[in-house]
Amino acid sequence: MSPVTRVVLAEDGVLLREGLVGLLDRFGFTVVAAVGDADALVAAAAEQQPDLVVTDVRMPPDFTDEGLRAAVRLRHDRPELAVVVLSQYVRPGYAAELLESGDGQRVGYLLKDRVVDVAEFAAVLHQVVAGGTVVDPEVVRHLLRRRRDPLARLSVRERDVLALIAEGRSNASIARALVVSEAAVGKHVGSILAKLDLPPTEDTNRRVLAVLAYLGSGAGSSAD
Amino acid sequence: MLTDESRNPMENGPTTPLESLRQRRFLISAWPWRSLGYLLTTALVAAAVGVPWLILGTPWLFALHRLTSGGFQPVESRLGVVLFGTLLGAVLIAVCGPLIGLPVAALERRRLRLISTRPVESGHARVREPGPWPWLRTRYTEAATWRAVGYTFLLVTAAPLLYGAVLLVPLLILTLLAAPFLVADGSGPFEIGRITIDSAASARWAALVGLLLFPLVPYLLALLAGAHGAVARLLLHRGADDRLRAELVEVAHSRARLVDAFESERRRIERDLHDGAQQRLVSLTLQLGLARLDLPAESPAAGPLATAHEQAKQAMVELREIIHGIHPQILTERGLPAALAELADRCPIPVTVQGDLSGRLPGHLEAATYFVVAEALTNAARHSAATGVRVDLARQDGQLTVRISDDGHGGADPAHGTGLTGLADRLAAVGGRMLLSSPPGGPTLLQVELPCPR
């Protein structure tokens, strides 16, 4: 991570945009552009070549998913670009699309309301810039609530572990969170990957694939 | 506008030639002349309509010709041609008949004013949407159109025969009157029936008889015009059922408009809250969060500020719920299946949503369905002690059917303020209905049926 993290911010609400600029400044990010729609976001990203893009999903002109589309496009052009997308409500399909863009790393998908917990939000941004993958716990809970979950084969413990993986945590961090040994976490992860039929290969991040399978299961059963 | 059919026609003078016949002043009133005008113009109209109608009728005439000619050949050998001709004629008339019948009917309604002092109004419904297709759909499916076609048919078939038969009498009387002149100009004797008029004397007698019979002529004219007018009014004036149906359609339309307006108003409120109050509240909470960061923990303001931050967060959650209740964003953005899936997720008991709805439904249908399912799931979770709920969606034959069934202990009663009554009203306003079966001991089945045009 470069000493200065340059950020392009896209949010159509003027007040919230100002607030977010203040928050980013406060936590040591450098906001190089703050815009109000997806086209301006794409233009600013092309011009500024930022390290991180933070964008709202719903923006003018149509208020559908322009922000997400722009983010996925930007990631497609520059897979190393860190992107955090803020969504009004939980939609696993969005998270899946983001994770599928680039190498599935350096992406974050959060509910918009999370920004008010400023310290946690800033921590997530740093985590994403550092190469992490963060998916809002609400998305994870949402998927676990589905009864026709293809992940039903997983044990409760394995689901906890997978949910933490989906939050972009390392094995060590998961071990601390669940108060178990790191070896035990490793065993759980192996078992999850086996149950999800993800063979070990050199060039794919199996943890992200697990999260994707996990998210895809939710995305597949909703009308995306 | 209602016409008062029950008033005494003699109070304000006759309204039709038939009524005028009973008046003593008939012969010096305008009615004979009005009748004459009507009959003469009828001849013009019938002649003009006869041409296109004859073209439409050609296959029938041909079939008739084949059926009646052909000497001693068995009929079976000609049946194919006859059937084909008949069918083709029927298709032609079904397709083109209204295109002739409608303008003719409009003209005839105007012409009817010659011999009718009561207003004549068309029984056609108003076409609400612009463009040719809605017009054709409305016109080809209403009774008034086909009555107009029937009238046009009578105008070129029965009317000439009737006119011919009735007008023979005035023609005879006029001939009698003209007898002296006809004999005088040396065209020699002529016969009327069995009577031969060959001298000035017999011609004078004939003229006298003609003169005595002459007052019959206006009566006959009025009788014929009156009879024609009565048939025309019967077929072309809008009947009570037409009016009622038109008004019902009108009422249904206005209710649907009201519901649409209500729905778009809800969406507007949702948008305004989302773009205004909600944004402001999120930004306020964010600012409070930022303020907390820079306030040392031992500061006296730290406690109240933390409380304010928490309360603002709580207010955010509540406002989000309120907005969701007014009009779920997910419904606007992604349609019914996604919104129902989300409802299922939020429900404390397991819910299965089945059914495939391709494409978006009209907004008011989506909203009506969504809120019914939401209410049903709330009730099931709250009162039924069910362990599972199924929501089935099906869309076929222009109807959307939503069934919500649970395995709870039943006993749901719309009369006990479960909120279902209000929803049933809401459904009724968009032309839908709700059926509820919930015997004590369960299971409960709620079925919603909504008209859902493709």
Side-chain angles (χ1 to χ4, degrees):
Chain A
M1 183 179 145
S2 56
V4 176
T5 306
R6 301 168 75 256
V7 186
V8 169
L9 168 70
E11 156 65 48
D12 59 301
V14 178
L15 277 173
L16 189 57
R17 188 161 71 226
E18 294 308 313
L20 283 171
V21 168
L23 185 155
L24 289 162
D25 280 344
R26 170 72 180 65
F27 284 94
F29 295 92
T30 307
V31 181
V32 290
V35 297
D37 64 75
D39 292 341
L41 163 62
V42 174
E47 187 189 340
Q48 299 287 348
Q49 297 291 310
D51 308 302
L52 169 67
V53 164
V54 178
T55 178
D56 185 8
V57 171
R58 224 164 82 134
M59 279 194 295
D62 301 330
F63 293 98
T64 53
D65 55 1
E66 296 83 351
L68 179 87
R69 295 275 142 266
V72 169
R73 228 181 10 256
L74 291 173
R75 290 265 301 169
H76 186 266
D77 298 341
R78 282 182 58 204
E80 75 281 5
L81 174 68
V83 167
V84 172
V85 172
L86 304 175
S87 174
Q88 204 62 248
Y89 53 85
V90 169
R91 187 173 169 187
Y94 285 170
E97 273 186 78
L98 272 175
L99 282 164
E100 279 166 3
S101 68
D103 56 1
Q105 290 178 305
R106 280 185 295 282
V107 288
Y109 175 80
L110 283 184
L111 282 181
K112 206 166 175 177
D113 288 355
R114 304 284 177 212
V115 304
V116 303
D117 294 318
V118 285
E120 290 86 338
F121 179 61
V124 165
L125 295 183
H126 283 301
Q127 211 177 333
V128 169
V129 171
T133 303
V134 181
V135 175
D136 200 291
E138 193 54 44
V139 176
V140 176
R141 260 198 295 280
H142 176 95
L143 290 172
L144 290 180
R145 268 207 305 264
R146 290 184 177 281
R147 280 172 68 245
R148 289 175 299 144
D149 188 357
L151 304 167
R153 284 171 297 174
L154 301 186
S155 70
V156 176
R157 198 42 147 183
E158 285 163 352
R159 280 195 217 180
D160 290 344
V161 172
L162 184 51
L164 291 167
I165 294 174
E167 286 181 35
R169 297 195 187 206
S170 65
N171 282 8
S173 156
I174 294 172
R176 274 196 306 279
L178 298 179
V179 203
V180 292
S181 70
E182 209 170 319
V185 173
K187 219 166 63 194
H188 283 311
V189 171
S191 156
I192 290 167
L193 297 176
K195 283 185 178 176
L196 293 182
D197 201 17
L198 297 170
T201 56
E202 286 307 307
D203 55 356
T204 52
N205 182 332
R206 290 202 298 156
R207 287 169 78 96
V208 170
L209 286 179
V211 173
L212 267 182
Y214 182 59
L215 297 170
S217 70
S221 60
S222 67
D224 288 329
Chain B
M1 142 114 206
L2 290 170
T3 52
D4 186 5
E5 308 275 351
S6 61
R7 67 193 170 84
N8 178 357
M10 292 307 160
E11 260 173 41
N12 305 324
T15 60
T16 64
L18 294 179
E19 287 174 7
S20 72
L21 288 174
R22 289 182 293 177
Q23 287 201 303
R24 261 172 298 168
R25 301 176 51 231
F26 169 73
L27 285 176
I28 54 169
S29 72
W31 285 105
W33 299 106
R34 291 174 84 156
S35 303
L36 181 63
Y38 188 73
L39 296 180
L40 290 176
T41 46
T42 298
L44 293 175
V45 174
V49 177
V51 177
W53 198 263
L54 199 65
I55 296 168
L56 290 188
T58 305
W60 281 2
L61 293 174
F62 180 70
L64 198 67
H65 171 75
R66 285 303 302 255
L67 201 59
T68 51
S69 66
F72 295 105
Q73 285 176 25
V75 172
E76 289 76 14
S77 68
R78 304 189 297 259
L79 212 55
V81 178
V82 169
L83 272 180
F84 179 73
T86 311
L87 206 63
L88 183 68
V91 169
L92 266 180
I93 286 174
V95 173
C96 307
L99 300 179
I100 301 171
L102 289 172
V104 169
L107 174 69
E108 288 293 88
R109 273 190 291 272
R110 297 186 80 94
R111 220 164 52 84
L112 203 53
R113 293 181 200 166
L114 265 176
I115 52 162
S116 171
T117 57
R118 280 182 302 166
V120 193
E121 287 164 30
S122 110
H124 292 293
R126 240 182 304 166
V127 184
R128 311 206 151 267
E129 297 153 53
W133 285 117
W135 185 89
L136 287 173
R137 205 173 44 236
T138 309
R139 287 290 170 266
Y140 274 74
T141 54
E142 58 185 358
T145 301
W146 298 104
R147 286 206 301 265
V149 173
Y151 174 86
T152 313
F153 180 72
L154 289 177
L155 187 68
V156 294
T157 52
L161 295 175
L162 183 72
Y163 274 49
V166 176
L167 292 180
L168 268 179
V169 178
L171 205 65
L172 179 73
I173 292 169
L174 288 177
T175 315
L176 288 174
L177 276 175
F181 307 100
L182 293 170
V183 173
D185 72 1
S187 57
F190 64 97
E191 294 177 6
I192 300 171
R194 293 188 188 167
I195 306 160
T196 309
I197 296 167
D198 52 1
S199 65
S202 58
R204 272 199 296 277
W205 276 114
L208 190 64
V209 172
L211 201 61
L212 285 174
L213 290 177
F214 186 74
L216 265 182
V217 174
Y219 281 95
L220 279 170
L221 296 182
L223 191 69
L224 184 58
H228 184 160
V231 172
R233 172 174 285 277
L234 192 71
L235 290 174
L236 304 180
H237 177 59
R238 77 175 182 196
D241 60 330
D242 284 335
R243 186 165 54 230
L244 200 59
R245 211 170 302 133
E247 276 166 14
L248 276 176
V249 170
E250 185 69 37
V251 169
H253 272 297
S254 72
R255 276 218 302 195
R257 271 200 301 275
L258 196 63
V259 172
D260 264 343
F262 175 68
E263 218 40 69
S264 60
E265 193 60 11
R266 285 174 84 106
R267 259 200 293 275
R268 190 189 60 76
I269 294 170
E270 178 261 316
R271 253 200 321 275
D272 286 354
L273 278 175
H274 173 263
D275 296 341
Q278 197 176 25
Q279 303 279 359
R280 204 170 284 275
L281 191 54
V282 173
S283 141
L284 165 74
T285 316
L286 177 65
Q287 295 296 345
L288 287 171
L290 285 173
R292 279 178 73 186
L293 288 177
D294 298 326
L295 203 65
E298 62 275 10
S299 154
L305 188 58
T307 310
H309 188 215
E310 289 308 315
Q311 283 186 2
K313 275 201 261 187
Q314 208 49 51
M316 259 171 57
V317 173
E318 280 171 24
L319 184 60
R320 186 171 302 292
E321 288 296 320
I322 289 170
I323 291 174
H324 191 89
I326 292 171
H327 193 94
Q329 236 173 45
I330 189 168
L331 189 61
T332 314
E333 288 178 28
R334 300 180 50 213
L336 194 58
L340 291 184
E342 189 231 25
L343 266 184
D345 275 339
R346 291 160 70 105
C347 187
I349 39 180
V351 180
T352 321
V353 182
Q354 292 275 342
D356 177 37
L357 289 181
S358 50
R360 292 290 300 260
L361 303 173
H364 64 273
L365 291 184
E366 282 191 340
T369 311
Y370 176 89
F371 285 109
V372 169
V373 175
E375 180 69 26
L377 292 183
T378 307
N379 286 339
R382 207 177 283 163
H383 309 293
S384 76
T387 58
V389 185
R390 274 185 66 98
V391 178
D392 293 293
L393 299 164
R395 181 183 180 181
Q396 59 189 143
D397 308 333
Q399 179 171 290
L400 171 69
T401 309
V402 187
R403 296 168 65 113
I404 303 125
S405 44
D406 70 52
D407 57 359
H409 53 53
D413 182 2
H416 285 139
T418 50
L420 287 176
T421 324
L423 287 171
D425 291 348
R426 193 169 168 165
L427 284 172
V430 292
R433 59 182 190 153
M434 184 193 283
L435 310 162
L436 175 68
S437 151
S438 185
T444 299
L445 171 66
L446 181 74
Q447 181 160 324
V448 172
E449 296 167 358
L450 284 158
C452 173
R454 275 260 156 241

